[in-house]
Short mmCIF file of all heavy atoms in Angstrom, two decimals:
data_model
loop_
_atom_site.label_atom_id
_atom_site.label_comp_id
_atom_site.label_asym_id
_atom_site.label_seq_id
_atom_site.Cartn_x
_atom_site.Cartn_y
_atom_site.Cartn_z
N MET A 25 -24.86 64.96 -3.55
CA MET A 25 -23.62 64.12 -3.57
C MET A 25 -22.82 64.42 -2.39
O MET A 25 -23.17 65.33 -1.57
CB MET A 25 -22.79 64.58 -4.85
CG MET A 25 -23.59 64.42 -6.16
SD MET A 25 -22.56 64.87 -7.51
CE MET A 25 -22.66 66.61 -7.44
N HIS A 26 -21.92 63.55 -2.12
CA HIS A 26 -20.94 63.55 -0.99
C HIS A 26 -19.58 63.18 -1.46
O HIS A 26 -19.38 62.13 -1.93
CB HIS A 26 -21.38 62.74 0.12
CG HIS A 26 -22.90 63.23 0.65
ND1 HIS A 26 -23.13 64.24 1.24
CD2 HIS A 26 -23.99 62.36 0.59
CE1 HIS A 26 -24.43 64.27 1.59
NE2 HIS A 26 -24.98 63.20 1.12
N GLY A 27 -18.69 64.05 -1.30
CA GLY A 27 -17.27 63.59 -1.64
C GLY A 27 -16.69 62.49 -0.71
O GLY A 27 -17.21 62.50 0.50
N GLU A 28 -15.85 61.71 -1.15
CA GLU A 28 -15.27 60.57 -0.30
C GLU A 28 -14.57 61.15 0.87
O GLU A 28 -14.37 60.54 1.85
CB GLU A 28 -14.41 59.76 -1.20
CG GLU A 28 -15.22 58.86 -2.14
CD GLU A 28 -14.27 58.03 -2.98
OE1 GLU A 28 -13.12 57.90 -2.66
OE2 GLU A 28 -14.70 57.51 -4.01
N CYS A 29 -14.13 62.47 0.76
CA CYS A 29 -13.33 63.06 1.85
C CYS A 29 -14.14 63.98 2.72
O CYS A 29 -13.63 64.70 3.58
CB CYS A 29 -12.11 63.75 1.32
SG CYS A 29 -12.41 65.05 0.14
N GLY A 30 -15.44 64.15 2.42
CA GLY A 30 -16.33 64.90 3.31
C GLY A 30 -17.36 65.82 2.51
O GLY A 30 -17.53 65.58 1.31
N GLY A 31 -17.96 66.61 3.17
CA GLY A 31 -18.96 67.41 2.69
C GLY A 31 -20.37 66.87 2.60
O GLY A 31 -20.73 65.91 2.13
N HIS A 32 -21.25 67.57 3.50
CA HIS A 32 -22.57 67.06 3.67
C HIS A 32 -23.61 68.11 3.53
O HIS A 32 -24.77 68.09 3.99
CB HIS A 32 -22.75 66.34 4.94
CG HIS A 32 -21.79 65.12 5.14
ND1 HIS A 32 -21.97 64.00 4.29
CD2 HIS A 32 -20.62 64.95 5.64
CE1 HIS A 32 -20.95 63.10 4.63
NE2 HIS A 32 -20.17 63.72 5.38
N GLY A 33 -23.27 69.25 2.93
CA GLY A 33 -24.13 70.44 2.74
C GLY A 33 -24.50 70.57 1.28
O GLY A 33 -24.34 69.66 0.53
N GLY A 34 -25.03 71.74 1.01
CA GLY A 34 -25.31 72.00 -0.45
C GLY A 34 -24.10 72.07 -1.31
O GLY A 34 -22.99 72.43 -0.84
N GLU A 35 -24.20 71.60 -2.52
CA GLU A 35 -23.12 71.71 -3.37
C GLU A 35 -23.42 72.37 -4.83
O GLU A 35 -24.49 72.51 -5.26
CB GLU A 35 -22.52 70.34 -3.67
CG GLU A 35 -23.46 69.48 -4.55
CD GLU A 35 -24.29 68.43 -3.75
OE1 GLU A 35 -23.98 68.27 -2.48
OE2 GLU A 35 -25.22 68.05 -4.34
N ARG A 36 -22.42 72.95 -5.33
CA ARG A 36 -22.51 73.52 -6.68
C ARG A 36 -21.59 72.84 -7.66
O ARG A 36 -20.47 72.46 -7.18
CB ARG A 36 -22.11 74.96 -6.78
CG ARG A 36 -23.06 75.92 -6.03
CD ARG A 36 -24.42 76.02 -6.64
NE ARG A 36 -25.25 76.85 -5.92
CZ ARG A 36 -26.58 76.93 -5.95
NH1 ARG A 36 -27.21 76.15 -6.88
NH2 ARG A 36 -27.32 77.66 -5.21
N VAL A 37 -21.99 72.50 -8.89
CA VAL A 37 -21.17 71.69 -9.82
C VAL A 37 -20.95 72.52 -10.99
O VAL A 37 -21.80 73.34 -11.52
CB VAL A 37 -22.04 70.42 -10.29
CG1 VAL A 37 -21.30 69.71 -11.20
CG2 VAL A 37 -22.42 69.63 -9.00
N TYR A 38 -19.65 72.46 -11.48
CA TYR A 38 -19.15 73.20 -12.58
C TYR A 38 -18.50 72.11 -13.57
O TYR A 38 -17.80 71.19 -13.23
CB TYR A 38 -18.08 74.22 -12.24
CG TYR A 38 -18.66 75.25 -11.28
CD1 TYR A 38 -18.57 75.14 -9.85
CD2 TYR A 38 -19.35 76.44 -11.70
CE1 TYR A 38 -19.14 76.03 -9.07
CE2 TYR A 38 -19.87 77.34 -10.89
CZ TYR A 38 -19.68 77.23 -9.58
OH TYR A 38 -20.27 78.00 -8.75
N ARG A 39 -18.83 72.35 -14.86
CA ARG A 39 -18.32 71.50 -16.02
C ARG A 39 -16.94 72.17 -16.44
O ARG A 39 -16.78 73.27 -16.56
CB ARG A 39 -19.27 71.56 -17.13
CG ARG A 39 -18.74 70.64 -18.33
CD ARG A 39 -19.68 70.78 -19.45
NE ARG A 39 -19.30 70.32 -20.72
CZ ARG A 39 -18.45 71.02 -21.46
NH1 ARG A 39 -18.17 72.35 -21.27
NH2 ARG A 39 -17.94 70.61 -22.57
N LEU A 40 -15.87 71.26 -16.55
CA LEU A 40 -14.61 71.83 -16.93
C LEU A 40 -14.11 70.98 -18.12
O LEU A 40 -14.16 69.72 -18.06
CB LEU A 40 -13.69 71.59 -15.80
CG LEU A 40 -12.11 71.93 -16.08
CD1 LEU A 40 -11.91 73.45 -16.46
CD2 LEU A 40 -11.30 71.63 -14.89
N ALA A 41 -13.80 71.59 -19.10
CA ALA A 41 -13.17 70.91 -20.31
C ALA A 41 -11.99 71.75 -20.79
O ALA A 41 -12.11 72.99 -20.76
CB ALA A 41 -14.14 70.66 -21.50
N VAL A 42 -10.95 71.14 -21.29
CA VAL A 42 -9.75 71.87 -21.74
C VAL A 42 -9.36 71.52 -23.15
O VAL A 42 -9.78 70.42 -23.60
CB VAL A 42 -8.52 71.59 -20.79
CG1 VAL A 42 -8.89 72.20 -19.36
CG2 VAL A 42 -8.12 70.19 -20.75
N GLY A 43 -8.72 72.38 -23.83
CA GLY A 43 -8.28 72.09 -25.21
C GLY A 43 -7.25 71.17 -25.45
O GLY A 43 -7.02 70.59 -26.46
N HIS A 44 -6.33 71.02 -24.37
CA HIS A 44 -5.22 70.16 -24.51
C HIS A 44 -4.86 69.59 -23.11
O HIS A 44 -5.32 70.12 -22.12
CB HIS A 44 -3.95 70.90 -25.08
CG HIS A 44 -3.55 72.14 -24.29
ND1 HIS A 44 -4.27 73.40 -24.24
CD2 HIS A 44 -2.56 72.37 -23.38
CE1 HIS A 44 -3.70 74.17 -23.62
NE2 HIS A 44 -2.60 73.56 -22.92
N GLU A 45 -4.10 68.55 -23.10
CA GLU A 45 -3.68 68.05 -21.79
C GLU A 45 -3.05 69.14 -20.97
O GLU A 45 -2.09 69.77 -21.49
CB GLU A 45 -2.91 66.83 -21.85
CG GLU A 45 -2.62 66.16 -20.51
CD GLU A 45 -1.83 64.82 -20.62
OE1 GLU A 45 -2.12 64.02 -21.44
OE2 GLU A 45 -0.78 64.80 -19.85
N MET A 46 -3.47 69.24 -19.74
CA MET A 46 -2.84 70.31 -18.88
C MET A 46 -3.24 70.00 -17.38
O MET A 46 -4.22 69.34 -17.08
CB MET A 46 -3.35 71.65 -19.24
CG MET A 46 -4.80 71.95 -18.99
SD MET A 46 -5.52 73.50 -19.73
CE MET A 46 -4.82 74.52 -18.52
N ALA A 47 -2.38 70.49 -16.51
CA ALA A 47 -2.59 70.50 -15.08
C ALA A 47 -3.36 71.75 -14.73
O ALA A 47 -3.08 72.88 -15.25
CB ALA A 47 -1.32 70.47 -14.29
N VAL A 48 -4.30 71.66 -13.96
CA VAL A 48 -5.16 72.70 -13.41
C VAL A 48 -5.14 72.62 -11.89
O VAL A 48 -5.47 71.65 -11.37
CB VAL A 48 -6.68 72.61 -14.08
CG1 VAL A 48 -7.49 73.78 -13.47
CG2 VAL A 48 -6.42 72.57 -15.52
N CYS A 49 -4.99 73.83 -11.30
CA CYS A 49 -5.17 73.98 -9.80
C CYS A 49 -6.46 74.54 -9.57
O CYS A 49 -6.90 75.66 -10.05
CB CYS A 49 -4.04 74.97 -9.39
SG CYS A 49 -4.06 75.12 -7.48
#
């Protein structure tokens, strides 16, 4: 994959799910 703002090397992907609506940094 390649992000729209850059990144052309190897990548790691993590699944994120939250129990309620919230902001995450």
Side-chain angles (χ1 to χ4, degrees):
M25 298 181 286
H26 304 290
E28 291 180 14
C29 63
H32 301 288
E35 68 266 341
R36 293 293 179 197
V37 181
Y38 298 92
R39 181 184 163 275
L40 176 67
V42 296
H44 60 281
E45 183 177 312
M46 64 189 284
V48 178
C49 180

